[in-house]
Amino acid sequence: NASPEEVEREHLAFVEQAHELAPWEEREDVPGWARRLRMVATLHGMHFSGRIFLRYDEMLDVLRFLAERLPGDRILAYLPGWEGRYYWQYGDYRPEPRLGGERGFAALCEGARRLGVHVMPMFGANCANRWLPTMAGLDPSAHLKSATGNRFHGNQPDWDLARAHDTGWQAWLNPGHPEWRDRLATAIETLAGRHGIDAIFLDTVHAWTNDPDHPVTDGLRALVTRLHSSIPGLLLAAEADYDALLPLFPLFQRPWWTKAPHWSTRYVRRFGHLCEGEPRGRTGVHEFGVYRSDAWSGDSGYLPTLAFQDGTLEHAREEIERRLAGLASLEDRRGL
C-alpha cells in the first residue's frame, strides 16, 4: 500500500482485534486516581556503586515540597533504586537499610498517602542478580534464550567500565517461566500488602527472545493477570513496549533511545525515562551520569516528569518552581 496512513490503520485494526486493545478512555486497567495524574516525580535512591542519592525521609521531603504546589493526588512518585544498589539488588526486593530500612520505607509510604501521592517502586521484570543468596536454586531454564538455546545477556550495563561489560552476576530471566514469574509476583504482592503500594513499575519488559521453552509475552500476560487479581486497583507501568504489550500496561516510561509512535497515545500514556528530568541533567541511578533532555514538555498524552537526587532541590529550586507554576498551561497543550 502506497499510503503510510492506510498501512497504519490496517495494522492497528489487527492489533486491536488480536490483543483486545482498547483506547485509553475505555481501558479497565486504569484506576480512577491514575486518570487524574498530572506529573511524575522520579526519586532516585541508591546507585549501583552504593552511592546514596536520596534516603526515604529525603524522598518524603521532596513530596511535601511538591504537594505544597500541586494537589498530591496529581503526583506519581517513581522510585528507582529504592531497594538498594540499582540492578545489583534486583531479585531481592526489600527496603534498603542504608536508605532508612523497613521503618523508613513505611514512613515514606504512609507520608505519601497522607499527601495523596501515589508511590510506584521499580521491579525488574526479567533481570536479577544470580549471585544473591535469594536467587540460589532457580531453575537454569528460567534464563532467557534464543531459539537454539543461546543465553540472552541484555544490556550488560557496566558503571565504571572495569568489567568490559562482562556482568557475570546479571541474569536475564523469562517471565514465562513459572518459577521466576512466581518469585517476582510474590515479591510485588508482599511489598504491596505490607506498605499499601498501589502502583508498580516493571523494568525492561520490552526484552524479548524466541525462547523455545516459555513464550515471553504470554508470561508477562500471566504475570499481569495475577497481579490485578491479587492487588485490586493496581496501576502497572513498564519500560518501552511493543504492540502486544500495549493491552497489558496503560502507562509506559518512554524510551530515551527513540521516539514513541504518535498513534500509541490512543491507547497508553507515557512519562520520562528515569535518566531524564533532573533540571541539571544528572541521571541518578542510571549509568549515563549526565543526560540532558526535555522531560517536562512532550507530545499529547505525556506526563511531565521531574527527577530528584541529592542537591536537586537546593540547586534547581527556581527552575522547578517555574515548571510547576506553568503546569496548567502545559496540560492544556497536551490534552491530558
Side-chain angles (χ1 to χ4, degrees), residues 28-334:
E28 297 180 356
D29 57 353
V30 182
W33 61 262
R35 297 189 184 278
R36 296 190 294 272
L37 292 174
R38 289 299 175 264
M39 70 163 290
V40 173
T42 304
L43 306 176
H44 290 277
M46 184 180 287
H47 190 266
F48 172 83
S49 64
R51 174 183 170 177
I52 294 171
F53 293 114
L54 293 174
R55 296 176 176 84
Y56 301 136
D57 59 340
E58 295 169 322
M59 294 180 186
L60 185 54
D61 286 341
V62 172
L63 295 181
R64 290 190 182 111
F65 168 85
L66 293 174
E68 290 174 354
R69 291 152 178 82
L70 185 73
D73 65 350
R74 303 297 196 266
I75 303 167
L76 181 64
Y78 173 35
L79 274 53
W82 68 273
E83 77 283 22
R85 291 175 60 190
Y86 176 62
Y87 263 66
W88 179 267
Q89 200 65 37
Y90 273 13
D92 182 19
Y93 294 102
R94 80 292 181 270
E96 165 59 39
R98 287 178 289 170
L99 297 182
E102 188 77 27
R103 182 175 297 179
F105 189 77
L108 166 62
C109 294
E110 176 59 27
R113 206 158 26 245
R114 290 179 180 176
L115 295 170
V117 176
H118 298 275
V119 174
M120 182 173 70
M122 172 189 254
F123 286 78
N126 44 23
C127 184
N129 183 349
R130 282 302 306 269
W131 292 0
L132 296 175
T134 53
M135 292 301 297
L138 180 67
D139 182 357
S141 71
H143 285 256
L144 271 173
K145 64 189 78 65
S146 71
T148 58
N150 292 321
R151 281 191 177 179
F152 175 76
H153 293 296
N155 58 350
Q156 297 175 277
D158 185 3
W159 276 261
D160 64 358
L161 304 182
R163 296 179 182 271
H165 294 276
D166 185 14
T167 50
W169 54 271
Q170 187 184 43
W172 286 79
L173 306 170
N174 187 347
H177 190 282
E179 183 184 352
W180 166 241
R181 186 170 68 247
D182 179 66
R183 288 189 183 209
L184 177 59
T186 299
I188 292 171
E189 290 162 350
T190 299
L191 188 78
R194 188 171 296 159
H195 297 288
I197 303 297
D198 50 15
I200 292 294
F201 179 86
L202 290 172
D203 195 21
T204 61
V205 297
H206 55 288
W208 183 91
T209 68
N210 190 19
D211 194 313
D213 294 330
H214 304 281
V216 173
T217 310
D218 288 353
L220 286 168
R221 189 176 295 112
L223 174 65
V224 167
T225 298
R226 170 172 167 173
L227 293 176
H228 280 310
S229 175
S230 60
I231 314 172
L234 181 70
L235 174 67
L236 282 173
E239 180 184 17
D241 54 271
Y242 47 86
D243 289 3
L245 294 184
L246 295 177
L248 304 182
F249 304 99
L251 180 63
F252 283 94
Q253 174 183 262
R254 71 181 183 184
W256 55 262
W257 58 90
T258 188
K259 185 177 176 62
H262 69 90
W263 54 259
S264 62
T265 57
R266 169 174 165 80
Y267 309 105
V268 300
R269 295 293 179 262
R270 301 183 189 277
F271 63 99
H273 193 276
L274 67 92
C275 71
E276 300 181 290
E278 209 276 345
R280 301 169 299 167
R282 314 292 174 86
T283 65
V285 301
H286 193 268
E287 57 266 31
F288 279 173
V290 176
Y291 179 65
R292 299 189 182 280
S293 67
D294 185 2
W296 194 247
S297 301
D299 297 328
S300 175
Y302 174 77
L303 286 169
T305 304
L306 275 174
F308 297 84
Q309 62 175 72
D310 54 324
T312 302
L313 269 183
E314 292 81 355
H315 301 293
R317 183 178 297 247
E318 184 177 338
E319 174 64 15
I320 294 168
E321 297 270 20
R322 185 186 66 78
R323 295 187 186 187
L324 293 173
L327 186 58
S329 60
L330 199 61
E331 288 178 23
D332 292 339
R333 293 200 301 275
R334 274 210 195 90

